Amino acid sequence: MSSINAVRQQGLNVRAKSLLSRVTYRRAVDEDDRDDIFRLRYDAYLREGAIDACAAERFHDPVDEQDNTFLYGVYVDDELAGSIRLSVTLPRHQTLPTTSVFPEFVGPKIAAGAVIVDPTRFVARHTVSRHLPELPYLTLRLAWLAMEHFDGDWILLAIRPEHRAFYRRYWSAVEVCEARPYPKLAKPVGLSVVDYRAVREQVLERHPFLASTASERAGLFEPAMPPLPQAGLPPHVWQVEPRPVGAGLGL
């Protein structure tokens, strides 16, 4: 790594660590939270020309209702700033959105029993992200934590070609399939993957803000299939505060 890149990386880690102290991850179970996320998705995709306008001004699909889907809002100073959806191969629930687009790669991995995390619908609020360039790193951190929690093997990245370099730098992702049409999106995407077990240590060394505690991960991913909200529960029941700045790996 060049000295210039090393300085840039160090600066990113310092800024991301600082921003993490202001971030709350919240699993979207409440209908109001989900509606806010679907509206944010719509605005983000429409802004970049990935979808056409619609009267409902919401963007969602059947994957959002699957039992192995985890939907999160990322809040900065209590404002919804971003969102990501994680699909995970769980026992008896192994359907992933990316399988239908890249079956030749994903299908054999599922058949072999691999644990896969498939992050999709990754969006950010433009008015926030333009001032906080570290926000994408911390939103994607949820996928990394899912790999740790579920003892994962692969991260799938169905991404546009112009985004490959970002994931290569961040997670040492490798391109495995060229771009092709993706359901409901106007622009084609390719498939890059992260061999988590092979790159885990080097990525954590490169970006220590990806480290997490067992309690943080449990709060985000347990139970694996959340119950419906119950009357009388506090509205923040799925809210998980960020780990203290400076905390150790805490595996």
Side-chain angles (χ1 to χ4, degrees):
M1 180 186 298
S2 71
S3 58
I4 293 176
N5 286 339
V7 169
R8 287 174 178 169
Q9 181 174 297
Q10 183 179 24
L12 167 64
N13 288 331
V14 170
R15 295 191 305 272
K17 183 177 179 180
S18 176
L19 180 58
L20 187 57
S21 67
R22 299 165 54 194
V23 165
T24 299
Y25 297 127
R26 192 157 75 220
R27 190 169 170 185
V29 177
D30 179 87
E31 287 303 317
D32 288 339
D33 283 349
R34 292 171 67 86
D35 188 66
D36 288 344
I37 287 171
F38 297 154
R39 175 58 187 265
L40 175 62
R41 258 192 216 167
Y42 173 82
D43 291 342
Y45 279 119
L46 186 66
R47 181 181 183 86
E48 65 177 23
I51 61 172
D52 295 325
C54 71
E57 297 186 337
R58 303 293 188 274
F59 186 59
H60 55 86
D61 60 54
V63 175
D64 292 309
E65 310 304 325
Q66 289 179 184
D67 288 337
N68 63 331
T69 294
F70 299 76
L71 179 62
Y72 296 94
V74 179
Y75 297 79
V76 177
D77 300 332
D78 298 321
E79 177 186 0
L80 178 62
S83 177
I84 196 167
R85 181 178 72 190
L86 307 179
S87 300
V88 184
T89 51
L90 300 174
R92 301 182 301 280
H93 297 281
Q94 299 191 329
T95 302
L96 302 175
T98 301
T99 304
S100 63
V101 184
F102 301 100
E104 71 275 25
F105 180 88
V106 183
K109 294 289 188 291
I110 293 176
V115 177
I116 301 172
V117 172
D118 187 3
T120 54
R121 305 305 188 229
F122 165 35
V123 295
R125 189 178 302 280
H126 178 69
T127 55
V128 177
S129 63
R130 65 182 179 178
H131 299 298
L132 298 173
E134 304 76 30
L135 180 62
Y137 293 89
L138 295 185
T139 302
L140 285 164
R141 180 174 177 266
L142 282 162
W144 191 264
L145 269 57
M147 294 296 290
E148 191 73 30
H149 182 77
F150 293 106
D151 193 22
D153 297 296
W154 297 92
I155 303 176
L156 303 181
L157 299 167
I159 54 177
R160 298 209 304 269
E162 60 266 32
H163 295 158
R164 291 173 188 158
F166 169 84
Y167 290 95
R168 187 165 53 245
R169 291 192 304 268
Y170 190 23
W171 283 342
S172 301
V174 177
E175 180 190 354
V176 294
C177 296
E178 287 292 335
R180 60 186 67 168
Y182 195 93
K184 290 200 168 188
L185 297 182
K187 299 180 179 180
V189 301
L191 180 65
S192 293
V193 299
V194 178
D195 184 346
Y196 178 74
R197 298 182 189 278
V199 305
R200 177 183 179 277
E201 297 303 325
Q202 70 187 58
V203 171
L204 281 173
E205 182 178 358
R206 190 161 66 232
H207 297 302
F209 60 82
L210 288 170
S212 61
T213 63
S215 61
E216 180 184 18
R217 297 191 298 270
L220 287 166
F221 303 112
E222 295 179 7
M225 290 177 286
L228 295 174
Q230 300 177 27
L233 286 180
H236 61 281
V237 65
W238 290 106
Q239 181 166 314
V240 177
E241 298 300 329
R243 63 190 177 90
V245 173
L249 188 59
L251 296 178

